Amino acid sequence: MIHIYTDLPQNKLMQALSRTEGLLQATQIKPLVALDTNNPHIIINDDKIIVPIPWDGTEPPVLFDAVPYNENDLIAILLCKLGYESEALEFVKSVSIKNSLHCRQQLRDLDQSLNYSTVQDNGFISTHNYAALTHYAGHLYNGASTEKLYEKAIAESPNGEHSAFIAKHLAVFLTDNGEISKAEKLLRYHQKEALSDEANNYLNLDLVDVLMASSSIPYDQERLSEVKQLISTSLPFFEQHDIHWAVATLYMNASEIANFEQSYSESLSYITKAITIYEEHGFPEFLASAYIRKGTLLYTWAQHQNPQFYQSAIDTYQKALETFTRELFPDVYAEIHHNLAVIYAEMPVDEKKKGMWSAFSATSFKECLDFYQKETYPFEYAMVANNYANALLKYPPAKTGDNAEKAIAYYLEALEIRNEEQFPLERAHTILNYLEACWRVHNINKTMERARYKDMVAKAKEVKKLTDNHELLSDAQAHLDQISALGLAIMKD
């Protein structure tokens, strides 16, 4: 149902809408003084049709000019908001509205075949709309970058409300491209404008995402405190206006912060609220993401002297797999199986059941490695190879082959990728894991024994060049001391 808030006579609008079958039933006409922005709506005021800025994310991020009242343009806009962009184009008279309709159609269909070539003629609205096409649908425009188009639209925008909306989408673009600090600076700048509550709260929502994306160990407590304040400030607004996806997003972020702070029961409470919202309001992809986050939380909780949560973590990841299938979401499917593989290997179980759980773990690692090929996903392959090797050392002895030798092979593959220039810390961790595996293998002859001895010495010394982490350096020195104790005997033989 689309609400029309207007100062025009109601019968005049009803007569116009009756020209198109179904429009009267799909709209509700109300006086302008009864304006309620919670509802999907347009405004007709002073003989102008005004389409509100689509802050809530339920429609494509397309802006419309305010145009003089015209029955055809009114019908076109209403059909568009009801999802009938093609039919709307048969009515539209305004060139500006026609451009916006074309843009919405292409964004909905991700159709790059249609021509949208009037950017330079229609000011900031057309510039923003084309920026949105280059951003969300992959269009190109004379080689101009998405960022430049958004910046041009912001510079030409006549008011803070429109420039803030455009900046919001530029910030999303920057964040997606790893320019997080730039996105943060942009959002903070536009928060200084005198904006509506709606604009302020949506900018807050994006700022929370940006600050979370830039948070890493060791966590900056001042930034985490700011995020918590932003969440508590904006949550009532989105709850009051029934913007369910935004409420759930804020609960997801609140859960992650509580997890950072090791407040696991609080974190679980927040993520459970997010999941409930996604289930009740039909957000299947968001729901699966929430299940992944919940599974990670439960796994983290299990690692902190709460082993009863291992099974809950497994059940949660398995639930996510119902949505994130291999066919539809192969990358997420692989990520989930990576998490499951590690849990299966770590989960404390009865000795008689270890073989079964190890088989589950190995199967999940293979599912994961089927997607993370060394040639196409080298970084991810190295991570999974390292973790698979760690798991192999926890499995019960294999009936055929040597788990430690197999682990060494995977560690060496990871080390081929985790070079000292790009991944010094990851390389140091993998080397120390590799050294642990080397102590477990049986060397088949003296030549092999001497070669492995020299390799272990070299790699233990290499760790000292890769990091200044006290714990890692201490582990490396412990290996060198142990190697030295055996070294004389090995070299004498």
Side-chain angles (χ1 to χ4, degrees):
M1 178 70 69
I2 308 295
H3 291 72
I4 303 173
Y5 296 100
T6 182
D7 57 1
L8 293 179
Q10 188 170 0
N11 63 339
K12 179 180 179 178
L13 293 182
M14 292 180 67
Q15 184 178 354
L17 298 181
S18 64
R19 291 171 49 195
T20 304
E21 185 178 354
L23 268 191
L24 277 174
Q25 293 75 23
T27 56
Q28 190 168 4
I29 303 168
K30 293 187 175 182
L32 194 57
V33 292
L35 176 63
D36 181 358
T37 57
N38 284 340
N39 302 311
H41 69 283
I42 65 169
I43 296 169
I44 303 174
N45 186 26
D46 292 333
D47 275 333
K48 282 193 173 181
I49 305 173
I50 302 167
V51 180
I53 296 173
W55 282 106
D56 69 2
T58 59
E59 299 182 62
V62 172
L63 293 174
F64 286 79
D65 273 320
V67 296
Y69 174 77
N70 174 287
E71 286 188 4
N72 283 57
D73 286 333
L74 172 62
I75 291 169
I77 290 169
L78 291 172
L79 287 172
C80 169
K81 290 184 78 67
L82 291 167
Y84 300 104
E85 284 86 356
S86 297
E87 292 81 353
L89 288 166
E90 297 175 10
F91 288 88
V92 68
K93 295 297 183 184
S94 163
V95 172
S96 174
I97 298 297
K98 185 176 183 179
N99 288 336
S100 295
L101 292 177
H102 269 304
C103 191
R104 273 185 61 125
Q105 183 179 17
Q106 291 174 85
L107 278 171
R108 280 197 181 280
D109 301 338
L110 298 183
D111 180 2
Q112 299 188 33
S113 65
L114 297 174
N115 182 33
Y116 186 84
S117 58
T118 56
V119 155
Q120 67 274 29
D121 298 326
N122 291 305
F124 83 100
I125 284 182
S126 290
T127 304
H128 162 77
N129 289 346
Y130 201 77
L133 281 179
T134 67
H135 178 184
Y136 296 107
H139 284 59
L140 297 175
Y141 173 66
N142 294 337
S145 71
T146 297
E147 185 175 352
K148 294 295 184 186
L149 286 168
Y150 276 135
E151 287 174 346
K152 182 174 185 290
I154 291 170
E156 295 174 350
S157 176
N159 57 61
E161 198 83 0
H162 279 97
S163 62
F165 178 77
I166 300 165
K168 164 188 166 61
H169 289 281
L170 174 54
V172 172
F173 175 80
L174 293 170
T175 302
D176 289 345
N177 285 278
E179 297 185 76
I180 296 172
S181 61
K182 197 171 179 179
E184 178 184 342
K185 184 178 179 181
L186 179 72
L187 291 169
R188 290 190 187 281
Y189 176 82
H190 284 277
Q191 279 186 318
K192 296 175 184 176
E193 299 275 357
L195 301 174
S196 66
D197 285 347
E198 188 175 33
N200 273 320
N201 281 289
Y202 277 103
L203 289 183
N204 283 349
L205 186 67
D206 285 338
L207 186 56
V208 166
D209 287 340
V210 166
L211 292 173
M212 293 299 293
S214 64
S215 297
S216 59
I217 298 172
Y219 299 111
D220 184 322
Q221 289 303 314
E222 187 175 332
R223 287 173 77 82
L224 291 184
S225 295
E226 181 183 8
V227 173
K228 288 195 283 188
Q229 180 59 44
L230 288 168
I231 291 172
S232 65
T233 298
S234 292
L235 194 58
F237 171 85
F238 292 115
E239 288 178 329
Q240 178 187 346
H241 291 81
D242 294 326
I243 313 296
H244 304 295
W245 66 267
V247 173
T249 296
L250 290 173
Y251 277 133
M252 291 270 282
N253 285 317
S255 173
E256 191 165 351
I257 292 171
N259 196 24
F260 291 162
E261 297 174 339
Q262 298 186 9
S263 300
Y264 299 123
S265 63
E266 182 183 3
S267 180
L268 185 60
S269 171
Y270 289 138
I271 198 67
T272 301
K273 287 180 180 179
I275 286 172
T276 299
I277 291 169
Y278 291 145
E279 285 177 335
E280 289 180 354
H281 298 283
F283 299 101
E285 292 179 28
F286 290 151
L287 176 60
S289 297
Y291 274 123
I292 292 173
R293 185 79 62 84
K294 183 178 179 181
T296 303
L297 165 64
L298 291 166
Y299 171 51
T300 304
W301 205 348
Q303 288 178 306
H304 287 77
Q305 287 79 51
N306 293 283
Q308 68 271 24
F309 291 109
Y310 278 112
Q311 186 59 56
S312 297
I314 290 170
D315 294 342
T316 302
Y317 283 130
Q318 292 285 5
K319 187 75 175 174
L321 285 174
E322 293 177 11
T323 298
F324 285 122
T325 62
R326 181 198 285 117
E327 294 73 24
L328 295 178
F329 302 95
D331 54 336
V332 184
Y333 178 85
E335 178 191 346
I336 295 170
H337 270 291
H338 183 208
N339 294 333
L340 282 170
V342 172
I343 294 175
Y344 289 144
E346 289 185 8
M347 186 174 174
V349 294
D350 185 89
E351 201 68 32
K352 294 179 181 179
K353 296 181 180 179
K354 277 191 175 181
M356 178 183 70
W357 287 100
S358 297
F360 291 159
S361 175
T363 299
S364 282
F365 272 120
K366 287 171 184 173
E367 290 277 8
C368 187
L369 289 171
D370 280 346
F371 179 78
Y372 290 131
Q373 298 287 316
K374 187 189 298 186
E375 297 74 21
T376 49
Y377 295 93
F379 178 81
E380 291 82 359
Y381 180 88
M383 176 181 64
V384 177
N386 177 79
N387 291 341
Y388 190 14
N390 292 344
L392 282 162
L393 298 180
K394 297 170 185 171
Y395 295 169
K399 293 180 180 178
T400 58
D402 184 340
N403 283 343
E405 284 286 7
K406 191 174 180 181
I408 284 173
Y410 275 109
Y411 285 134
L412 290 174
E413 286 205 70
L415 288 171
E416 287 178 16
I417 297 165
R418 292 180 162 180
N419 57 63
E420 60 182 299
E421 293 82 14
Q422 293 177 286
F423 311 107
L425 188 60
E426 291 89 345
R427 183 173 179 83
H429 278 287
T430 302
I431 286 175
L432 292 172
N433 292 338
Y434 167 80
L435 292 172
E436 287 290 341
C438 286
W439 291 113
R440 302 192 187 193
V441 296
H442 173 70
N443 297 310
I444 58 177
N445 54 49
K446 293 298 180 183
T447 301
M448 181 74 167
E449 189 174 46
R450 290 192 185 97
R452 183 152 278 158
Y453 163 77
K454 290 180 180 179
D455 182 55
M456 290 174 70
V457 170
K459 283 193 167 52
K461 288 181 177 178
E462 184 185 352
V463 172
K464 296 192 169 187
K465 299 177 183 177
L466 294 171
T467 180
D468 57 3
N469 181 283
H470 177 74
E471 185 177 348
L472 298 184
L473 293 175
S474 177
D475 287 348
Q477 187 57 52
H479 281 293
L480 282 171
D481 293 342
Q482 193 174 356
I483 294 166
S484 297
L486 298 175
L488 290 175
I490 291 174
M491 297 312 288
K492 281 180 182 179
D493 292 342

